[in-house]
Every structure is written in C-alpha cells, then in structure tokens.
C-alpha cells in the first residue's frame, strides 16, 4: 500500500520551484506522470499526493521531500 502525506496543515513550495525552473503545471505533470489538474490540486492544498508522487516531484527539483512539503 502506498502511503499518503497527511493533508492537515501540510504546505508545499511546488509553485515556487516551478517558477524557478520555468515549468508550467502541464510540463511538471507530464514529467511526473499525472494530470495538470492533480498538480493544481496539490499546489492549492486540496489534494495530498502519495509518497511516491511527492518523491517524484521533489526529485524533479533536486530537493529532499521535506524541503518541498512541510508543516
């Protein structure tokens, strides 16, 4: 079973790093194997990614997961 990040109070810096790397939501979504809608929902805190997805996104930006997702 894949774990999920607890939703309550979890923030993320995905939008910040997308801007830094000049990536659109669509481009990031394709790179990590999800839809643009999924990236939008994660950025807005409406969807908690699986740990697998969170690690994929963090790796894309060469970050540790705790540098991208935090309380």
């Amino acid at each position: 079973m894949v774990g999920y990040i607890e939703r309550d109070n979890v923030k993320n810096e995905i939008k910040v790093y997308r801007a830094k790397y000049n990536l659109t939501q669509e481009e990031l979504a394709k790179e990590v194997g999800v839809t643009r809608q999924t990236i939008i929902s994660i950025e807005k805190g409406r969807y908690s990614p699986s740990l697998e997805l969170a690690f994929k996104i963090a790796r894309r930006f060469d970050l540790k997961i705790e540098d991208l997702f935090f309380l």
Side-chain angles (χ1 to χ4, degrees):
M1 183 170 145
V2 176
Y4 286 82
I5 295 173
E6 290 294 326
R7 181 177 175 184
D8 295 338
N9 301 318
V10 174
K11 310 282 188 248
N12 70 73
E13 294 286 327
I14 296 172
K15 189 173 184 177
V16 172
Y17 282 97
R18 276 195 314 98
K20 181 178 177 179
Y21 286 83
N22 199 30
L23 278 178
T24 65
Q25 290 167 332
E26 183 70 29
E27 290 167 333
L28 177 58
K30 285 181 182 178
E31 288 187 27
V32 298
V34 297
T35 66
R36 179 177 164 263
Q37 304 316 113
T38 299
I39 298 300
I40 291 168
S41 293
I42 294 169
E43 285 184 356
K44 291 185 176 185
R46 291 184 293 181
Y47 175 75
S48 296
S50 67
L51 288 174
E52 179 182 7
L53 178 55
F55 276 111
K56 283 182 182 180
I57 296 169
R59 275 194 303 268
R60 167 55 183 92
F61 297 118
D62 197 29
L63 298 169
K64 293 184 280 185
I65 195 169
E66 60 268 21
D67 293 334
L68 192 58
F69 295 92
F70 52 90
L71 296 177

